[in-house]
Amino acid sequence: MKPGQQLHVVNQLYPYTVQFKEDPTGSHGGSKRPRESASEDRENQREAQKTKAAKQTEKVSVPVSHGDATNTSEGVGHWSQGLKTSMQDPKMQVYKDDKVVVIKDKYPKARYHWLVLPWQSIPSLKALREEHCDLVKHMQQVADQMVEQCPDASSLRFRTGYHAIPSMSHVHLHVISQDFDSPCLKNKKHWNSFTTDYFIESHDLFQMLEANGRVTVKEGASELLKLPLRCHVCRKDIPTIPALKEHLKSHFPR
DNA sequence: GTTCTAGAAC
DNA sequence: GTTCTAGAAC
């Protein structure tokens, strides 16, 4: 059993992430370039599942929800913890090294939309300290690498940054192309979370962390999500989401 | 974070 | 009447 491996008790219904107090460096094989998937990790995971499955006896428990902490409140299994599960899934991993992993956003809001996540568990921006500076900088470098290897990097603009108040737990850096051409972009909150100051540029966050040892989010950031819809290219106000999507076609033809 | 849908807006 | 938004989800 290695740090970061997953243990599925009862038919994948209750994923557990094994963590150690001291994460020995180099526990994850590093590679500088994005790759398809890690076959060795998949093997290891299968082994872990097999071992656990063998220990199970005949009495198969029923997947019925009771009022316990398993699927209520904000514990494991809650939707807000979904990134922790996704980042461990080799099928979702687009790149990984000893410090971070990159996955595709499950509901991409543009033609290209990745998330860079540290292996180290950092619940939110509030938990960031000066000692995370190197990690944050590395996340930014990996984000830049993702853009470099994108086939449309020359024709599309990209931004990399953090949501001021993310819905999902575990610090994650968005790498998103600026076409916003996606059926998953559906409402004002989606739009404003990437096109207003709700979106904190990676570089700005790093500078804040370096200067203050903390990241502070302006109060009232959540109000930014309610701003009128405005085109991020020509600054034109657009009345509705469908009209905005139609408008974007003029800036980003297929 | 998403889905669903009541009722506001047109 | 249809389109679209915005709030609940136990």
Side-chain angles (χ1 to χ4, degrees):
Chain A
M1 190 64 65
K2 292 177 182 174
Q5 278 194 351
Q6 246 184 45
L7 191 61
H8 291 289
V9 186
V10 191
N11 300 328
Q12 318 229 8
L13 281 169
Y14 309 107
Y16 284 87
T17 300
V18 178
Q19 292 182 338
F20 295 85
K21 275 189 175 178
E22 294 174 345
D23 187 22
T25 52
S27 57
H28 295 273
S31 72
K32 280 294 173 189
R33 283 282 153 190
R35 53 178 175 173
E36 278 307 301
S37 64
S39 54
E40 63 172 330
D41 277 38
R42 206 179 304 176
E43 282 302 313
N44 292 339
Q45 243 181 358
R46 236 198 299 274
E47 282 305 314
Q49 273 178 247
K50 225 186 289 176
T51 310
K52 192 65 192 179
K55 282 182 182 174
Q56 284 187 343
T57 53
E58 294 297 302
K59 51 173 181 179
V60 177
S61 50
V62 189
V64 170
S65 73
H66 302 293
D68 57 68
T70 305
N71 45 25
T72 52
S73 190
E74 312 240 318
V76 178
H78 189 262
W79 59 262
S80 66
Q81 307 300 309
L83 288 179
K84 288 183 177 58
T85 309
S86 294
M87 66 186 279
Q88 304 289 344
D89 183 353
K91 291 189 290 296
M92 308 281 271
Q93 297 165 347
V94 177
Y95 167 91
K96 65 175 167 178
D97 59 27
D98 59 328
K99 300 184 192 69
V100 303
V101 60
V102 181
I103 60 175
K104 282 183 170 183
D105 193 293
K106 193 176 177 184
Y107 298 91
K109 303 302 186 294
R111 292 174 196 166
Y112 299 95
H113 188 181
W114 297 286
L115 303 178
V116 183
L117 305 112
W119 289 116
Q120 184 185 350
S121 178
I122 305 172
S124 76
L125 299 184
K126 283 198 183 81
L128 285 175
R129 294 295 179 268
E130 196 150 25
E131 59 260 35
H132 295 115
C133 273
D134 287 346
L135 178 61
V136 167
K137 178 164 266 179
H138 181 69
M139 288 170 70
Q140 196 177 318
Q141 287 169 343
V142 170
D144 291 341
Q145 275 187 41
M146 295 309 297
V147 176
E148 276 176 38
Q149 58 80 58
C150 174
D152 293 333
S154 57
S155 59
L156 291 175
R157 192 169 74 89
F158 278 78
R159 288 186 76 200
T160 58
Y162 301 81
H163 280 157
I165 308 166
S167 300
M168 306 290 275
S169 183
H170 203 111
V171 164
H172 53 285
L173 173 61
H174 290 270
V175 183
I176 185 166
S177 58
Q178 296 296 291
D179 48 276
F180 296 109
D181 174 14
S182 166
C184 297
L185 195 150
K186 294 178 174 176
N187 56 48
K188 180 177 275 190
K189 179 173 176 175
H190 291 156
W191 179 255
N192 284 331
S193 72
F194 288 103
T195 60
T196 69
D197 286 343
Y198 192 89
F199 190 82
I200 305 170
E201 285 276 347
S202 175
H203 186 256
D204 293 342
L205 181 131
F206 175 78
Q207 289 200 325
M208 203 189 302
L209 191 57
E210 192 179 44
N212 309 326
R214 303 275 166 107
V215 174
T216 52
V217 172
K218 295 190 195 76
E219 69 172 323
S222 61
E223 299 306 305
L224 296 171
L225 298 175
K226 297 172 184 170
L227 288 172
L229 299 172
R230 173 168 288 177
C231 175
H232 65 314
V233 176
C234 67
R235 296 281 150 191
K236 186 179 192 288
D237 280 334
I238 314 285
T240 67
I241 287 289
L244 174 61
K245 283 174 164 276
E246 197 58 35
H247 174 82
L248 288 174
K249 288 181 182 175
S250 67
H251 291 304
F252 306 97
R254 284 276 191 183

